[in-house]
Amino acid sequence: MTGPRVVIIGAGVVGAALADELSAKGWDDITLVDQGPLPATGGSSSHAPGLVFQANPSKTMTEMARYTVEKFCGLEVDGEPCFLQVGGLEVAVGAARLAELHRRAGWLTSWGVQARVLSPDECVALHPLLDRDVVLGGLHTPTDGIAKSVRAVQAQLRRAQARGARLLERHEVFDVRHDGERVTAVGTDRGEIPADVVVCCAGIWGPKVAAMAGMALPLTPLAHQLVWTGQLAPLAGQTLEAVRPILRHQDADLYLRERGDTLGIGYYGHRPMPISADEIAPVDEAEIMPSMLPFTEEDFAPGWADARALVPALREAKVEDGMNGLFSFTPDGMPLMGPSPDVRGFWVAEAVWVTHSAGVGRAMAEWLVDGHCSSFDLHSCDVNRFWRHQLAPDYVLARDCQNYVEVYDIVHPLQPMEDPRPLRTSPFHPRQRELGAVFLEASGWERPQWYEANAGLVEGRDVPVPNDWAARYWSPIVGAEAQATRESVALYDMTALPRFEVSGRGAAAFLQWITTGNVDKSVGSVTYCLLLDADGGIRSDVTVARLGPEEFQVGANGPLDLDRLTRHAPDDVVVRDITAGTCCVGVWGPRARDLVAPLAAGDFGFGYFRATRIYIGTVPVTALRLSYVGELGWELYTTADMGLKLWDTLWDAGQRHGILAGGRGAFASLRLEKGYRSFGADMTYEHDPWEAGLGFAVKLDKGDFLGRDAVLHRKDAVRRRLTCLLLDETVMGFEPVYDGDRAVGYVTSAAHGYTIGRGIAYAWLPAELAEPGRQVHIGYFDRRLPAVVAEEPLFDPGMTRLRG
């Protein structure tokens, strides 16, 4: 047999896709087990209406949907297709939604999917059932359509079975056996199945199965309404299942699809209806199937009224059948994919809808067989992306229900969650509130976006007001804070950035191997490094400060960095998250030395990218001389209990130097002026250091490190580059970039540069277009904004302010 013994729990669209993709890659000891009958097992796949809309702000999700469409278009069962490619039409009945459709068209264009915003007449010509007097326009995606999910399950299972996979229906899993370190078997009501790898694809039962392996899965099954109408007069005689595009009326939380001479109508506008995975009825006890709950007619009434307003033919029709069908929701709306942090060999592929199922199957197969996924960037899907507080049952339920409510909402890129808040506050929080901080939220942290106390700084400054979309969660104070930082000295709360302690006899050797930088240097050195995977792709960027012969502080990006370091650490290395017990304030600006030096007890004459332990007044501090805003200054770390004292010491002494507190809005502008990258936005798993302009962080002469051979191979094969663009307006990110009429790339991070007086946008472009002076255009809603490729950094290219 080829490959390990694999047991896939759940034979819905995800489990079937994974079995197909794994067997296609050569693994043949695969067992697929499900509690229900094949191919309609009773989970979400068995009742899903199958609408596949590819538009998504996530590049990964759109690419997974596109792969699902392409694969399903090539599948059939006994001559019957698995995908009806009738196209998709998202309609607007209000001006805000019409503008949003242009933004969605931008996503699709950015991610390489054909789409166009249509006029009202074009919408009605494409779908004559629409009321011309109601519709203002629509987004047409020709490759969208209807996935026949049960048929797709059957087709993929047949392919996997032909390659040697074993299919076990009506086997209820009651245990995932492990020896405390790795999985050994799956226990079912019909016996034990030995296993080296177990993949949970159980859908709405996912939390129940994952718990068998000691894993908390942040997933909630929620009921969603779907009805089928009686015959519609305009469709009388229609024998094909679907002819016209599938519809979305997102302002009313509705989607609609044909089924012969009737319509199916899905509705998200009702109250959230969560259910525990433990409360779902067994297969043999469910009235129809476990994932179909009784229809609650009163919840559907508003949706029915809106549907009839959009489609006049429904005014003479009746609802003939309805259900409340269960689907999976997560705290951030993304799938849950990857390995357990505690039990080796246990993996999950959960919270996946039909739309993305084949893409997820392919990604998981690559990850399992090759050790990494080469087709998709999975950093936003990795199940280990959550902090511990985000796994709390109350948090998961609240966030999953809110994501249900917002599934069709227009969500601004900066829009924070509203509940539960506050969760995490830095020690500086009381002073920030006194200064009138306007807080947004990230990973549970309350982070000031700007301070109302700085309103007086706006007077006399040139702070342009951005367009309406960019002006949300914005104030002219943002620009004033950015400019004032470059004039005097500012305090920036950096507590939310994760930091880990890596210690032990093998710490230096371990960090040498797992990062691209040379960190085995003198005590007090600080090194900017990348974390790579075996394929040479970037997994994160970190700063490594050597605080002792066997002690390092790693400034990181999130839980995935902690997971990565922990998984790879040898026995003589300890990795510890010290974020919650510490805090950090960035002290930056041309007067930073004037402020800090007189307060420092100890040697404060250390240079750029060096670290030392000193006292600031009475506060013990670890000081790192580096800056994310491109100004002279330090990151000052202390324990959480001393944080407020550190802030007050700096604030009181800074009054004579014109000190201010700066928010994240100013911070984003300043870091883009300096050309500093942000992992997860500017570069992700799919990019390498040479493309991202970070080749300086790769020390090929230091010896072996993870990903060295692959990244060396990619050095001379750069086809795209992260490129700095200047324009006269402010964009927000994910907009398409055009060379003439040809879409050639997309924006990552963007902000107004208040020092340079121009809009800044970083974008991925073909290497041949990334030449300074090259003219391109950015698609912003329904406009094309001229932009020019610029040399970077835009501010202080000689580094005189940082090193001064």
Side-chain angles (χ1 to χ4, degrees), residues 251-272:
D251 281 333
D253 296 299
L254 292 167
Y255 62 77
L256 303 91
R257 56 151 293 185
E258 296 173 338
R259 187 176 68 177
D261 58 3
T262 71
L263 283 184
I265 306 171
Y267 183 48
Y268 287 101
H270 54 79
R271 60 192 168 89

Side-chain angles (χ1 to χ4, degrees), residues 28 108 194 202 289 368 406 709 737:
D28 56 8
L108 288 164
M289 64 177 69
L368 285 162
E406 295 177 351
D709 291 343
V737 180

